[in-house]
């Protein structure tokens, strides 16, 4: 009897899992279910090339239209999975029908955290998570003159940069006292702050929004009020609990998985944004929200199903593009003890090397793609330069990679 793998979610993780299974010779059925009606596409370009008008909808698709048929991947679009019955090895679909599985891969990602005022989700605030959101935002941005963006994180700031390119007046409101504080050191926050300011963004830091009325009037905790045409927000994501609620799948801010992406139910795997895993680079359990993580965890789950297990142990990496600034992050800087800046003679080009107990744990590179690639190799090989080598711009760090 042929086995059936059902994959819930056709984002970065889900599509990769289906492809890897086929590439690795899986001969059974693959059912790839997406609650979105659009053919599977990449998410990072939504807040970059797509909304900038530089990439078309077609250009951001993962695969050509016939890929799924050609590879016998049963792609079901516009279908939501409502429940998982682990005892019966069955899922329930939005039309009430049931589908059996031998292996289940949950790749459902995360969804936007919404702003609540007076105990209610505020209306007429637009968030970006999927292609439908992008189309709505595209329509709203074009006629707007003044756009307020709540949240000075990656997505909020990418939206600010592209709205500036569209010659809009832009205000960013951030509760913290600096941009991207959760993930970046002060030196990098400052470059992004200075660049956004230089492009004309009004930055309100250390300020919270206490109410948004009719998507037009924004009340701040310092008593001030802003009037605007459009409110966008990027204030983080959460993993929906709906799918695993009332099931016996362990959940703790995400589906809890082992190093092979298996949940506590051995034939139920979770990958990508929705998977809470022990990360050997962070040395703790967490969820990562990145393409790298979704893609690499998909390969791990597929390899386990194919009986050739490889444990998840890849260097985390991420990127953001804003104006001429391209920031690439390798490793996880959480818990660092010392951060050393390796400054290139050119402006806005440097890398920050993070050390814990004399060991390199992460590198953030600003407009230094070669540093980023070397960092990924150094971290993967567990090779640590000394702090003196990092400080010495003439020392070639990639020489450490040569045997
Ligand atoms: C605007 C934007 C910009 C980003 N930029 C970057 C970047 O520059 N670099 C980077 O590394 N990462 C970036 N990310 C994050 C990255 O896209 C995610 O980490 C990645 O998509 C996670 O992949 P995933 O497979 O876990 O989930 P997703 O790609 O989100 O896919 C999950 C899919 O599952 C579907 N789904 C959910 N529940 C169900 C259900 N019950 N039934 C059926 N289908 C369901 C969802 O609709 C979705 O299509 C960005 C994200 C966004 C939104």
């Amino acid at each position: 009897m042929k086995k059936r793998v059902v994959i819930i979610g056709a984002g970065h993780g889900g599509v990769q899992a289906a492809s890897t299974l086929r590439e690795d010779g899986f001969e059974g059925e693959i059912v790839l279910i997406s609650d979105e009606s659009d053919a599977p596409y990449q998410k990072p370009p939504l807040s970059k090339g797509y909304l900038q008008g530089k990439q078309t909808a077609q250009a951001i698709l993962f695969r050509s239209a016939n890929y799924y048929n050609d590879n016998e991947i049963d792609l079901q679009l516009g279908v939501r999975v409502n429940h998982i019955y682990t005892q019966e090895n069955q899922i329930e679909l939005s039309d009430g029908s049931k589908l059996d599985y031998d292996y289940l891969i949950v790749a459902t990602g995360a969804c936007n955290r919404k702003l609540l005022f007076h105990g209610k989700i505020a209306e007429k605030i637009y968030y970006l998570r999927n292609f439908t959101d992008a189309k709505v935002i595209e329509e709203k941005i074009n006629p707007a003159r003044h756009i307020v963006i709540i949240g000075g994180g990656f997505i909020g700031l990418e939206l600010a940069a592209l709205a500036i390119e569209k010659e809009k007046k832009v205000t960013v409101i951030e509760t913290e006292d600096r941009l991207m504080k959760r993930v970046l050191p002060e030196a990098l926050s400052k470059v992004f702050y200075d660049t956004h300011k230089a492009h004309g963004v009004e930055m309100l830091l250390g300020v919270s929004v206490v109410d948004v009325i009719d998507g037009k009037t924004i009340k701040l905790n310092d008593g001030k009020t802003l009037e605007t045409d459009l409110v966008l927000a990027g204030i983080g994501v959460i993993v929906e609990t709906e799918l695993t609620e009332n099931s016996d799948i362990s959940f703790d801010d995400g589906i809890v998985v082992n190093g092979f992406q298996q949940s506590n139910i051995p034939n139920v795997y979770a990958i990508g944004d929705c998977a809470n895993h022990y990360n050997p680079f962070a040395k703790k359990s967490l969820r990562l929200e990145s393409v790298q993580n979704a893609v690499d965890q998909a390969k791990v789950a597929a390899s386990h199903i194919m009986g050739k297990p490889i444990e998840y142990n890849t260097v985390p990496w991420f990127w953001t593009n804003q104006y001429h600034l391209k920031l690439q992050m390798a490793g996880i800087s959480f818990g660092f003890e010392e951060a050393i800046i390796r400054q290139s003679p050119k402006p806005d080009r440097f890398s920050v090397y993070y050390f814990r107990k004399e060991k390199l744990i992460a590198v953030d590179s600003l407009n230094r793609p070669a540093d980023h690639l070397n960092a990924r190799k150094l971290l993967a090989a567990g090779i640590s330069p000394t702090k003196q080598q990092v400080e010495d711009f003439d020392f070639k760090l990639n020489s450490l990679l040569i045997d």
Side-chain angles (χ1 to χ4, degrees):
M1 258 283 271
K2 280 194 173 175
K3 300 276 186 204
R4 179 187 287 156
V5 178
V6 174
I7 303 168
I8 315 177
H12 287 267
V15 170
Q16 184 65 53
S19 304
T20 304
L21 280 167
R22 276 292 177 251
E23 281 157 20
D24 288 357
F26 181 73
E27 287 178 352
E29 274 182 67
I30 300 175
V31 184
L32 179 59
I33 302 175
S34 171
D35 62 357
E36 297 191 56
S37 51
D38 298 293
Y41 58 90
Q42 305 163 51
K43 291 216 157 105
L46 296 180
S47 53
K48 304 177 183 69
Y50 178 75
L51 277 177
Q52 281 172 321
K54 294 178 183 162
Q55 276 179 297
T56 61
Q58 185 69 24
I60 67 172
L61 296 179
F62 287 118
R63 302 285 186 175
S64 63
N66 45 6
Y67 171 83
Y68 301 95
N69 258 340
D70 290 353
N71 286 280
E72 293 181 52
I73 295 168
D74 177 6
L75 174 64
Q76 301 193 9
L77 296 177
V79 177
R80 193 167 167 81
V81 177
N82 285 336
H83 201 81
I84 303 171
Y85 299 97
T86 57
Q87 305 289 324
E88 293 82 4
N89 291 334
Q90 263 186 349
I91 52 169
E92 185 182 284
L93 307 179
S94 37
D95 65 0
S97 65
K98 302 233 169 98
L99 182 68
D100 295 335
Y101 62 82
D102 295 291
Y103 302 97
L104 183 68
I105 301 179
V106 184
T108 46
C111 54
N112 285 313
R113 205 150 66 78
K114 299 273 168 76
L115 283 154
L116 282 173
F117 302 117
H118 319 294
K120 279 202 298 211
I121 292 179
E123 286 177 12
K124 298 191 184 169
I125 299 180
Y126 299 91
Y127 302 82
L128 179 57
R129 191 72 208 158
N130 55 34
F131 191 57
T132 306
D133 298 336
K135 283 185 283 191
V136 171
I137 289 176
E138 190 176 25
E139 224 173 71
K140 301 272 172 196
I141 278 189
N142 289 335
R145 281 161 301 146
H146 180 200
I147 299 169
V148 169
I149 297 168
I150 305 174
F154 292 120
I155 292 181
L157 294 175
E158 288 179 0
L159 289 171
L162 69 87
I164 285 287
E165 283 169 14
K166 291 178 190 285
E167 299 181 349
K168 309 295 174 184
K169 179 177 178 220
V170 179
T171 303
V172 171
I173 304 172
E174 167 57 50
T175 310
E176 297 289 353
D177 56 359
R178 61 182 177 83
L179 299 175
M180 300 177 282
K181 186 172 182 175
R182 196 171 57 87
V183 284
L184 292 189
E186 218 161 320
L188 279 166
S189 292
K190 185 172 172 349
V191 176
F192 280 89
Y193 177 86
D194 290 346
T195 306
H196 278 280
K197 288 285 280 187
H199 280 84
V201 176
E202 179 188 23
M203 283 286 176
L204 304 180
L205 301 184
V207 181
S208 298
V209 175
V210 293
D211 205 357
V212 174
I213 301 154
D214 200 30
K216 296 230 174 300
T217 306
I218 300 177
K219 292 189 181 282
L220 304 175
N221 65 342
D222 60 7
K224 292 195 183 115
T225 297
L226 295 177
E227 294 297 335
T228 183
D229 304 318
L230 176 63
V231 185
L232 305 177
I235 55 162
V237 297
I238 51 165
V239 177
E240 275 183 358
T241 53
E242 206 184 305
L243 197 58
T244 47
E245 250 164 38
N246 307 319
S247 86
D248 44 7
I249 299 171
S250 293
F251 188 96
D252 177 13
D253 178 43
I255 296 175
V256 180
V257 293
N258 64 16
F260 302 107
Q261 305 305 134
Q262 279 175 300
S263 72
N264 59 316
I265 310 295
N267 63 341
V268 177
Y269 297 76
I271 59 175
D273 285 10
C274 70
N276 183 344
H277 65 282
Y278 176 82
N279 192 290
F281 289 87
K283 299 205 181 311
K284 64 174 192 163
S285 291
L286 44 65
R287 286 189 312 99
L288 287 177
E289 292 147 22
S290 72
V291 168
Q292 166 279 318
N293 179 61
V295 166
D296 288 336
Q297 290 191 336
K299 293 177 184 167
V300 170
S303 75
H304 197 263
I305 290 171
M306 292 299 289
K308 295 179 201 146
I310 42 163
E311 212 161 338
Y312 184 56
N313 189 20
T314 32
V315 177
W317 57 270
F318 186 85
W319 76 97
T320 179
N321 302 342
Q322 296 164 37
Y323 314 104
H324 68 290
L325 302 177
K326 185 172 175 79
L327 176 68
Q328 293 166 292
M329 305 160 85
I332 295 180
S333 58
F334 169 83
F336 74 90
E337 288 162 357
E338 205 172 340
I340 294 182
I341 296 181
R342 185 171 167 94
Q343 180 71 56
S344 128
K346 294 189 184 153
D348 290 349
R349 277 169 200 257
F350 63 90
S351 293
V352 185
Y353 289 72
Y354 301 87
F355 286 85
R356 185 168 52 217
K357 300 199 193 321
E358 308 298 314
K359 195 172 175 320
L360 183 71
I361 56 165
V363 180
D364 292 341
S365 303
L366 187 68
N367 295 329
R368 297 277 305 162
D371 283 358
H372 174 70
L373 288 178
N374 280 333
R376 276 163 54 182
K377 289 182 193 157
L378 288 169
L379 291 165
I383 296 171
S384 220
T386 63
K387 294 173 192 169
Q388 291 71 22
Q389 287 169 337
V390 168
E391 274 163 352
D392 177 2
F393 191 70
D394 293 326
F395 180 81
K396 301 258 176 289
L397 290 172
N398 62 358
S399 67
L400 299 171
L401 290 161
I402 301 161
D403 284 332

